[in-house]
Amino acid sequence: QGFYNFVYQPIIEQDEEISGIIAVATEVTEQVLSRRKIEESEYRYHNLIHTSASLILILKGEDLIISVVNDSMLQSMAKGKDVIGKPMLTVLPEIIEQGLGDVLHQVYKTGESSYGYEAPVHIMRNGKMELSYYTYVYAAQRDLNGKIDGVSVIATEVTPQAEYNQKIKESEAQFRQMANLMPEKISNANAAGDVIYFNQTWGDYTGLSFEELKNGGWQKTIHPDEIKEVTKSWLHSVETGNDFEVELRIANKLGEYKWHLTRAAAVKDNNGKIKMWIGATTDIHDQKTKEEAKDEFIGIASHELKTPLTIAKAYIDLLRMSLQKTSNEDFMYAQKAAESIERLNGLIGELLDVSKIQNGKLGLNITEFDFNEMISTAIEGIQYASPNHTIHRSGKIKQLAKGDKERLQQVVVNLLSNAVKYSPNAKVVDIHVAEKNGEVIVAVKDKGIGISKENVGKIFERYYREEERATHFQGLGIGLYISYEIIQRHNGKLWAESKLLKGSTFYFSVPINYTAKKL
Ligand code: ADP
């Protein structure tokens, strides 16, 4: 198949008669095919531009005349097809003062492309100025000789995504601002445990810049006595995702160490993977030093009270002995005085124990002893002082035990007297002793007022007493604290199970044969 151009010409004779036709044919196959190719490629190119989801615009000449524009672009500009042939900057004059006119001219002049990422552009749409965001490229268009003859614009509108990112940025800025206003020292760490943010309060307190704090400066502010423990505990949290809580001393900008409480919790994604950590550090220096001063005062005061009390006790005992023979009534008075002195003696003893624990001086006097007999002595004492309750006992230990007999008896007495004290309307308190896997387990059970779930963890703390109830029952709130320490030193455990208004069971377990803890 070929393509031809034909020219037909009549042959005219002298008498003007047509005697024939000359047909001249030129073969043009080549030209036709190549024109078709051009048309086809232009059609494709045209199609590509017009069906593209990208916004496409081709501007010709120095005046940036709109020569090609696709529907997506027209839609985004809120304009019709009539813009074709008009200069870009008269069609969208609002972009001039936003600096985009200059950018287009620059591209035209230099041939260097210009890129924008989520760039805000205000566009007048139907009489209203609207903000949209675009990711775009402006590139120079060249003719066959390589001379710049226009600028192409290819853009994507990214408004929702940009607004979303903007919101995140804003909310982050708000968080930072809030964190900076807090008197607390706030920090963020990444999943690997590296601290990546400190609020202003951190900087104000330590006198270090954000960069200095971040690059290991904060570790240098921690007291040398605590740094090892703090680091260990932090690494453990980072590994397990468990909450982090430590008391530590942190140096201020003058180099003075103040006590702080630092807590951090992991922020996890839906799959439970740690995304980051949020930490808050609170100044507890006053509280802590007050507590220390209180402990110290209690130590001194109870020590001072102990001596005159011991003397008074000795005299009352003498008095009691001599009155026993003569006057019944006076003997009873002396007896009552002796009981009160005994009680006072017990309270002062508890206070002295607290200060011994505080100073690490609560030593154990380890001997071999009969555990069952120790229990009997403890029960006898309580039974004598509380005739309204019956103490039921069960279980026995078959072998001798090794430990501090006096101190363990003190624990049993404490648990039994609490059981009696906190079950004023009950008749019976149970104590059960058992032996299991080389340990003695003691359970003291009452049907008393019980302890609420949220408080059951606090009762072993020093000076803790349940607030509303404290007024009804006498006590200093330190018996369980001392018991806990004694059991700990025996490498044992002390714990409680309780139901409010139903009663409590206190347990402790200690190795039958005490062995010193290896350090
Ligand atoms: P306290 O001198 O106040 O008895 P403890 O340290 O022995 O001090 O006990 C601490 C607190 O625990 C008590 O104030 C009380 O609120 C609670 N508690 C202890 N034992 C019992 C019990 N058997 N039943 C209910 N509450 C108890």
Side-chain angles (χ1 to χ4, degrees), residues 347 350 414-423 444-446 448-451 455 458-461 463-467 469-470 473-483 498 503-506:
L347 289 172
E350 278 195 337
N414 178 229
L415 297 184
L416 283 174
S417 66
N418 276 351
V420 169
K421 180 162 67 168
Y422 295 106
S423 64
V444 176
K445 184 175 173 187
D446 67 61
I449 61 170
I451 306 158
N455 289 343
K458 298 184 194 156
I459 55 175
F460 301 106
E461 287 170 15
Y463 311 127
Y464 178 81
R465 309 201 69 220
E466 284 202 283
E467 251 165 61
R469 296 159 156 197
F473 302 95
Q474 290 176 330
L476 295 172
I478 50 182
L480 286 179
Y481 169 71
I482 298 167
S483 296
S498 188
S504 319
T505 307
F506 281 76

Short mmCIF file of all heavy atoms in Angstrom, two decimals, residues 347 350 414-423 444-446 448-451 455 458-461 463-467 469-470 473-483 498 503-506, ligand 1:
data_model
loop_
_atom_site.label_atom_id
_atom_site.label_comp_id
_atom_site.label_asym_id
_atom_site.label_seq_id
_atom_site.Cartn_x
_atom_site.Cartn_y
_atom_site.Cartn_z
N LEU A 347 5.24 1.14 122.91
CA LEU A 347 5.20 2.19 121.87
C LEU A 347 6.58 2.79 121.64
O LEU A 347 7.02 2.98 120.50
CB LEU A 347 4.21 3.29 122.27
CG LEU A 347 2.73 2.90 122.23
CD1 LEU A 347 1.86 4.00 122.83
CD2 LEU A 347 2.29 2.63 120.80
N GLU A 350 8.71 0.51 119.71
CA GLU A 350 8.42 0.55 118.27
C GLU A 350 9.14 1.72 117.61
O GLU A 350 9.75 1.58 116.55
CB GLU A 350 6.91 0.71 118.03
CG GLU A 350 6.12 -0.58 118.12
CD GLU A 350 4.72 -0.42 117.53
OE1 GLU A 350 4.23 0.71 117.45
OE2 GLU A 350 4.13 -1.45 117.14
N ASN A 414 2.52 -8.59 116.81
CA ASN A 414 1.97 -7.47 116.04
C ASN A 414 0.77 -7.89 115.20
O ASN A 414 -0.27 -7.24 115.20
CB ASN A 414 3.08 -6.87 115.16
CG ASN A 414 2.59 -5.73 114.30
OD1 ASN A 414 2.83 -5.70 113.11
ND2 ASN A 414 1.86 -4.79 114.89
N LEU A 415 0.90 -9.04 114.50
CA LEU A 415 -0.20 -9.50 113.65
C LEU A 415 -1.42 -9.88 114.48
O LEU A 415 -2.56 -9.56 114.13
CB LEU A 415 0.25 -10.67 112.77
CG LEU A 415 1.37 -10.37 111.77
CD1 LEU A 415 1.65 -11.59 110.90
CD2 LEU A 415 1.01 -9.17 110.88
N LEU A 416 -1.15 -10.58 115.61
CA LEU A 416 -2.27 -11.00 116.46
C LEU A 416 -2.95 -9.77 117.09
O LEU A 416 -4.18 -9.70 117.15
CB LEU A 416 -1.78 -11.94 117.56
CG LEU A 416 -1.49 -13.38 117.13
CD1 LEU A 416 -0.87 -14.15 118.29
CD2 LEU A 416 -2.76 -14.08 116.67
N SER A 417 -2.17 -8.82 117.56
CA SER A 417 -2.80 -7.67 118.24
C SER A 417 -3.56 -6.81 117.23
O SER A 417 -4.62 -6.29 117.54
CB SER A 417 -1.79 -6.86 119.05
OG SER A 417 -0.88 -6.24 118.20
N ASN A 418 -3.05 -6.71 116.00
CA ASN A 418 -3.84 -6.03 114.95
C ASN A 418 -5.14 -6.77 114.68
O ASN A 418 -6.19 -6.16 114.55
CB ASN A 418 -3.04 -5.94 113.65
CG ASN A 418 -2.09 -4.74 113.63
OD1 ASN A 418 -2.14 -3.88 114.51
ND2 ASN A 418 -1.22 -4.70 112.63
N ALA A 419 -5.05 -8.11 114.59
CA ALA A 419 -6.23 -8.92 114.28
C ALA A 419 -7.30 -8.69 115.34
O ALA A 419 -8.49 -8.55 115.03
CB ALA A 419 -5.85 -10.39 114.20
N VAL A 420 -6.88 -8.62 116.58
CA VAL A 420 -7.82 -8.40 117.68
C VAL A 420 -8.34 -6.95 117.62
O VAL A 420 -9.54 -6.70 117.67
CB VAL A 420 -7.13 -8.67 119.04
CG1 VAL A 420 -8.00 -8.18 120.19
CG2 VAL A 420 -6.84 -10.16 119.18
N LYS A 421 -7.39 -6.02 117.46
CA LYS A 421 -7.75 -4.59 117.48
C LYS A 421 -8.72 -4.23 116.36
O LYS A 421 -9.68 -3.49 116.58
CB LYS A 421 -6.46 -3.77 117.35
CG LYS A 421 -6.66 -2.27 117.34
CD LYS A 421 -5.38 -1.49 117.64
CE LYS A 421 -4.33 -1.63 116.55
NZ LYS A 421 -3.21 -0.66 116.72
N TYR A 422 -8.50 -4.79 115.17
CA TYR A 422 -9.32 -4.40 114.02
C TYR A 422 -10.51 -5.34 113.79
O TYR A 422 -11.09 -5.33 112.71
CB TYR A 422 -8.46 -4.27 112.77
CG TYR A 422 -7.45 -3.13 112.90
CD1 TYR A 422 -6.10 -3.40 113.10
CD2 TYR A 422 -7.87 -1.81 112.87
CE1 TYR A 422 -5.19 -2.36 113.26
CE2 TYR A 422 -6.96 -0.77 113.04
CZ TYR A 422 -5.62 -1.05 113.24
OH TYR A 422 -4.73 -0.02 113.41
N SER A 423 -10.85 -6.16 114.82
CA SER A 423 -12.08 -6.94 114.71
C SER A 423 -12.84 -6.83 116.02
O SER A 423 -13.07 -7.82 116.70
CB SER A 423 -11.78 -8.40 114.36
OG SER A 423 -11.05 -9.01 115.40
N VAL A 444 -2.44 -15.34 110.01
CA VAL A 444 -3.26 -14.81 111.10
C VAL A 444 -4.52 -14.24 110.48
O VAL A 444 -4.45 -13.32 109.65
CB VAL A 444 -2.51 -13.72 111.90
CG1 VAL A 444 -3.41 -13.12 112.96
CG2 VAL A 444 -1.25 -14.30 112.52
N LYS A 445 -5.67 -14.83 110.88
CA LYS A 445 -6.91 -14.48 110.19
C LYS A 445 -7.92 -13.87 111.15
O LYS A 445 -8.15 -14.41 112.23
CB LYS A 445 -7.46 -15.77 109.59
CG LYS A 445 -8.69 -15.59 108.76
CD LYS A 445 -9.07 -16.90 108.11
CE LYS A 445 -10.40 -16.78 107.41
NZ LYS A 445 -10.86 -18.06 106.93
N ASP A 446 -8.51 -12.75 110.74
CA ASP A 446 -9.57 -12.17 111.57
C ASP A 446 -10.83 -11.95 110.73
O ASP A 446 -10.78 -11.97 109.50
CB ASP A 446 -9.10 -10.85 112.20
CG ASP A 446 -8.87 -9.74 111.18
OD1 ASP A 446 -9.84 -9.36 110.50
OD2 ASP A 446 -7.72 -9.26 111.07
N GLY A 448 -12.62 -9.13 110.87
CA GLY A 448 -12.81 -7.74 111.29
C GLY A 448 -13.20 -6.78 110.18
O GLY A 448 -13.86 -7.17 109.21
N ILE A 449 -12.74 -5.55 110.30
CA ILE A 449 -13.18 -4.47 109.42
C ILE A 449 -12.57 -4.54 108.02
O ILE A 449 -13.06 -3.91 107.09
CB ILE A 449 -12.86 -3.08 110.04
CG1 ILE A 449 -11.35 -2.93 110.24
CG2 ILE A 449 -13.58 -2.90 111.37
CD1 ILE A 449 -10.93 -1.53 110.61
N GLY A 450 -11.49 -5.31 107.89
CA GLY A 450 -10.87 -5.47 106.57
C GLY A 450 -10.21 -4.20 106.06
O GLY A 450 -10.25 -3.15 106.71
N ILE A 451 -9.60 -4.34 104.88
CA ILE A 451 -8.88 -3.21 104.28
C ILE A 451 -9.30 -3.13 102.83
O ILE A 451 -9.44 -4.16 102.16
CB ILE A 451 -7.35 -3.45 104.34
CG1 ILE A 451 -6.92 -3.75 105.77
CG2 ILE A 451 -6.58 -2.25 103.80
CD1 ILE A 451 -5.62 -4.50 105.87
N ASN A 455 -5.88 0.16 99.44
CA ASN A 455 -5.01 0.49 100.58
C ASN A 455 -4.16 -0.68 101.06
O ASN A 455 -3.22 -0.49 101.82
CB ASN A 455 -5.84 1.02 101.75
CG ASN A 455 -6.39 2.40 101.46
OD1 ASN A 455 -5.89 3.08 100.55
ND2 ASN A 455 -7.39 2.81 102.18
N LYS A 458 -0.54 -0.34 100.90
CA LYS A 458 0.12 0.77 101.59
C LYS A 458 0.38 0.50 103.06
O LYS A 458 1.15 1.23 103.70
CB LYS A 458 -0.76 2.02 101.49
CG LYS A 458 -1.01 2.50 100.09
CD LYS A 458 -1.81 3.78 100.14
CE LYS A 458 -2.38 4.13 98.78
NZ LYS A 458 -3.57 4.98 98.93
N ILE A 459 -0.29 -0.51 103.61
CA ILE A 459 -0.25 -0.67 105.08
C ILE A 459 1.13 -1.05 105.62
O ILE A 459 1.37 -0.91 106.80
CB ILE A 459 -1.29 -1.72 105.55
CG1 ILE A 459 -1.07 -3.04 104.81
CG2 ILE A 459 -2.70 -1.21 105.33
CD1 ILE A 459 -1.98 -4.14 105.32
N PHE A 460 2.03 -1.45 104.73
CA PHE A 460 3.38 -1.80 105.21
C PHE A 460 4.31 -0.60 105.19
O PHE A 460 5.47 -0.70 105.52
CB PHE A 460 3.96 -2.94 104.38
CG PHE A 460 3.12 -4.19 104.41
CD1 PHE A 460 2.35 -4.56 103.31
CD2 PHE A 460 3.06 -4.96 105.56
CE1 PHE A 460 1.55 -5.69 103.36
CE2 PHE A 460 2.25 -6.09 105.61
CZ PHE A 460 1.49 -6.45 104.51
N GLU A 461 3.76 0.56 104.75
CA GLU A 461 4.58 1.77 104.71
C GLU A 461 4.69 2.37 106.11
O GLU A 461 3.77 2.26 106.91
CB GLU A 461 3.96 2.82 103.78
CG GLU A 461 4.10 2.47 102.32
CD GLU A 461 3.27 3.37 101.43
OE1 GLU A 461 2.81 4.43 101.91
OE2 GLU A 461 3.07 3.00 100.26
N TYR A 463 4.45 4.82 109.03
CA TYR A 463 3.44 5.80 109.51
C TYR A 463 2.11 5.71 108.79
O TYR A 463 1.25 6.57 108.96
CB TYR A 463 3.94 7.26 109.40
CG TYR A 463 5.30 7.49 109.98
CD1 TYR A 463 6.30 8.10 109.23
CD2 TYR A 463 5.61 7.08 111.28
CE1 TYR A 463 7.57 8.31 109.75
CE2 TYR A 463 6.86 7.27 111.81
CZ TYR A 463 7.84 7.89 111.04
OH TYR A 463 9.09 8.09 111.55
N TYR A 464 1.92 4.69 107.95
CA TYR A 464 0.64 4.63 107.25
C TYR A 464 -0.46 4.11 108.16
O TYR A 464 -0.33 3.08 108.80
CB TYR A 464 0.70 3.75 105.99
CG TYR A 464 -0.64 3.68 105.31
CD1 TYR A 464 -1.05 4.71 104.48
CD2 TYR A 464 -1.51 2.64 105.59
CE1 TYR A 464 -2.31 4.70 103.91
CE2 TYR A 464 -2.79 2.62 105.03
CZ TYR A 464 -3.18 3.66 104.18
OH TYR A 464 -4.42 3.65 103.64
N ARG A 465 -1.56 4.84 108.23
CA ARG A 465 -2.75 4.37 108.91
C ARG A 465 -3.92 4.73 108.02
O ARG A 465 -3.89 5.73 107.32
CB ARG A 465 -2.94 5.07 110.27
CG ARG A 465 -1.70 5.03 111.15
CD ARG A 465 -2.06 5.26 112.60
NE ARG A 465 -2.80 4.14 113.14
CZ ARG A 465 -3.84 4.27 113.96
NH1 ARG A 465 -4.27 5.45 114.32
NH2 ARG A 465 -4.48 3.19 114.41
N GLU A 466 -4.96 3.93 108.05
CA GLU A 466 -6.12 4.25 107.24
C GLU A 466 -6.81 5.45 107.86
O GLU A 466 -7.19 5.43 109.03
CB GLU A 466 -7.05 3.05 107.16
CG GLU A 466 -6.50 2.01 106.21
CD GLU A 466 -7.58 1.10 105.70
OE1 GLU A 466 -7.98 0.21 106.47
OE2 GLU A 466 -8.03 1.31 104.58
N GLU A 467 -6.96 6.49 107.04
CA GLU A 467 -7.36 7.79 107.55
C GLU A 467 -8.62 7.82 108.41
O GLU A 467 -8.58 8.21 109.57
CB GLU A 467 -7.54 8.75 106.39
CG GLU A 467 -6.45 9.79 106.35
CD GLU A 467 -6.42 10.48 105.02
OE1 GLU A 467 -7.43 11.11 104.70
OE2 GLU A 467 -5.39 10.38 104.34
N ARG A 469 -10.27 5.55 109.73
CA ARG A 469 -10.34 4.61 110.84
C ARG A 469 -9.36 4.94 111.94
O ARG A 469 -9.52 4.49 113.08
CB ARG A 469 -10.05 3.22 110.31
CG ARG A 469 -11.10 2.80 109.35
CD ARG A 469 -10.53 1.73 108.51
NE ARG A 469 -11.59 0.93 107.97
CZ ARG A 469 -11.38 -0.26 107.48
NH1 ARG A 469 -10.18 -0.76 107.49
NH2 ARG A 469 -12.37 -0.93 106.99
N ALA A 470 -8.33 5.72 111.58
CA ALA A 470 -7.25 5.96 112.53
C ALA A 470 -7.75 6.50 113.87
O ALA A 470 -7.19 6.21 114.92
CB ALA A 470 -6.23 6.91 111.93
N PHE A 473 -9.09 3.63 116.28
CA PHE A 473 -8.17 2.62 116.79
C PHE A 473 -6.84 3.27 117.15
O PHE A 473 -6.34 4.11 116.40
CB PHE A 473 -7.92 1.54 115.74
CG PHE A 473 -9.18 0.85 115.29
CD1 PHE A 473 -9.84 1.27 114.14
CD2 PHE A 473 -9.71 -0.20 116.02
CE1 PHE A 473 -11.01 0.64 113.73
CE2 PHE A 473 -10.87 -0.84 115.61
CZ PHE A 473 -11.53 -0.41 114.46
N GLN A 474 -6.29 2.87 118.28
CA GLN A 474 -5.02 3.46 118.68
C GLN A 474 -3.86 2.82 117.93
O GLN A 474 -3.92 1.65 117.58
CB GLN A 474 -4.83 3.26 120.18
CG GLN A 474 -5.80 4.11 120.98
CD GLN A 474 -5.67 3.85 122.45
OE1 GLN A 474 -5.32 2.75 122.87
NE2 GLN A 474 -5.96 4.87 123.24
N GLY A 475 -2.82 3.58 117.74
CA GLY A 475 -1.64 3.01 117.09
C GLY A 475 -0.82 4.09 116.40
O GLY A 475 -1.30 5.20 116.19
N LEU A 476 0.41 3.76 116.09
CA LEU A 476 1.31 4.73 115.48
C LEU A 476 1.48 4.49 113.98
O LEU A 476 2.11 5.28 113.28
CB LEU A 476 2.69 4.66 116.15
CG LEU A 476 2.75 5.06 117.62
CD1 LEU A 476 4.12 4.74 118.19
CD2 LEU A 476 2.44 6.54 117.79
N GLY A 477 0.96 3.38 113.50
CA GLY A 477 1.09 3.09 112.07
C GLY A 477 2.47 2.59 111.69
O GLY A 477 2.90 2.78 110.56
N ILE A 478 3.17 1.99 112.65
CA ILE A 478 4.52 1.53 112.31
C ILE A 478 4.74 0.04 112.58
O ILE A 478 5.76 -0.51 112.19
CB ILE A 478 5.62 2.34 113.05
CG1 ILE A 478 5.32 2.41 114.53
CG2 ILE A 478 5.76 3.71 112.44
CD1 ILE A 478 6.33 3.21 115.31
N GLY A 479 3.76 -0.59 113.24
CA GLY A 479 3.92 -2.01 113.57
C GLY A 479 4.20 -2.87 112.35
O GLY A 479 5.14 -3.67 112.34
N LEU A 480 3.39 -2.69 111.30
CA LEU A 480 3.57 -3.53 110.10
C LEU A 480 4.86 -3.18 109.36
O LEU A 480 5.49 -4.06 108.78
CB LEU A 480 2.36 -3.37 109.16
CG LEU A 480 1.08 -4.05 109.61
CD1 LEU A 480 -0.04 -3.79 108.61
CD2 LEU A 480 1.29 -5.56 109.77
N TYR A 481 5.23 -1.93 109.43
CA TYR A 481 6.48 -1.49 108.79
C TYR A 481 7.66 -2.23 109.43
O TYR A 481 8.54 -2.76 108.73
CB TYR A 481 6.61 0.02 108.94
CG TYR A 481 7.96 0.60 108.57
CD1 TYR A 481 8.38 0.64 107.25
CD2 TYR A 481 8.80 1.10 109.57
CE1 TYR A 481 9.62 1.17 106.93
CE2 TYR A 481 10.03 1.63 109.25
CZ TYR A 481 10.45 1.67 107.93
OH TYR A 481 11.66 2.20 107.61
N ILE A 482 7.64 -2.27 110.77
CA ILE A 482 8.73 -2.97 111.48
C ILE A 482 8.69 -4.47 111.17
O ILE A 482 9.71 -5.09 110.86
CB ILE A 482 8.63 -2.72 113.00
CG1 ILE A 482 8.79 -1.22 113.29
CG2 ILE A 482 9.67 -3.54 113.75
CD1 ILE A 482 8.40 -0.83 114.71
N SER A 483 7.48 -5.03 111.21
CA SER A 483 7.33 -6.47 110.93
C SER A 483 7.87 -6.80 109.54
O SER A 483 8.57 -7.80 109.34
CB SER A 483 5.86 -6.88 110.99
OG SER A 483 5.39 -6.70 112.29
N SER A 498 -7.24 -9.22 102.03
CA SER A 498 -8.26 -8.61 102.86
C SER A 498 -9.47 -8.23 102.04
O SER A 498 -9.37 -7.97 100.84
CB SER A 498 -7.69 -7.37 103.55
OG SER A 498 -8.62 -6.90 104.49
N GLY A 503 -12.92 -8.98 106.69
CA GLY A 503 -11.80 -9.47 107.48
C GLY A 503 -10.51 -9.57 106.68
O GLY A 503 -10.50 -9.36 105.48
N SER A 504 -9.44 -9.87 107.39
CA SER A 504 -8.13 -9.91 106.77
C SER A 504 -7.37 -11.16 107.18
O SER A 504 -7.59 -11.69 108.26
CB SER A 504 -7.27 -8.71 107.21
OG SER A 504 -8.05 -7.54 107.26
N THR A 505 -6.46 -11.59 106.29
CA THR A 505 -5.50 -12.62 106.68
C THR A 505 -4.11 -12.10 106.36
O THR A 505 -3.85 -11.67 105.24
CB THR A 505 -5.74 -13.93 105.91
OG1 THR A 505 -7.11 -14.30 106.09
CG2 THR A 505 -4.85 -15.04 106.43
N PHE A 506 -3.28 -12.09 107.37
CA PHE A 506 -1.89 -11.68 107.18
C PHE A 506 -1.03 -12.93 107.17
O PHE A 506 -1.21 -13.81 108.00
CB PHE A 506 -1.45 -10.73 108.30
CG PHE A 506 -1.94 -9.33 108.10
CD1 PHE A 506 -3.26 -8.99 108.36
CD2 PHE A 506 -1.09 -8.34 107.63
CE1 PHE A 506 -3.73 -7.69 108.17
CE2 PHE A 506 -1.53 -7.04 107.42
CZ PHE A 506 -2.86 -6.72 107.70
P1 ADP B 1 -1.27 0.60 113.64
O1 ADP B 1 -0.45 1.02 114.81
O2 ADP B 1 -2.04 1.72 113.06
O3 ADP B 1 -2.08 -0.62 113.88
P2 ADP B 1 0.18 -1.02 111.76
O4 ADP B 1 1.44 -0.71 111.02
O5 ADP B 1 0.19 -2.22 112.60
O6 ADP B 1 -0.17 0.28 112.55
O7 ADP B 1 -0.97 -1.13 110.70
C1 ADP B 1 -1.10 -0.15 109.72
C2 ADP B 1 -2.55 0.02 109.28
O8 ADP B 1 -2.99 -1.16 108.61
C3 ADP B 1 -3.52 0.18 110.42
O9 ADP B 1 -3.64 1.53 110.81
C4 ADP B 1 -4.81 -0.35 109.83
O10 ADP B 1 -5.45 0.66 109.09
C5 ADP B 1 -4.36 -1.42 108.88
N1 ADP B 1 -4.45 -2.78 109.45
C6 ADP B 1 -3.45 -3.51 110.01
N2 ADP B 1 -3.89 -4.73 110.41
C7 ADP B 1 -5.20 -4.77 110.08
C8 ADP B 1 -6.23 -5.77 110.24
N3 ADP B 1 -6.00 -6.98 110.79
N4 ADP B 1 -7.47 -5.47 109.78
C9 ADP B 1 -7.71 -4.26 109.20
N5 ADP B 1 -6.79 -3.29 109.05
C10 ADP B 1 -5.55 -3.54 109.48
#
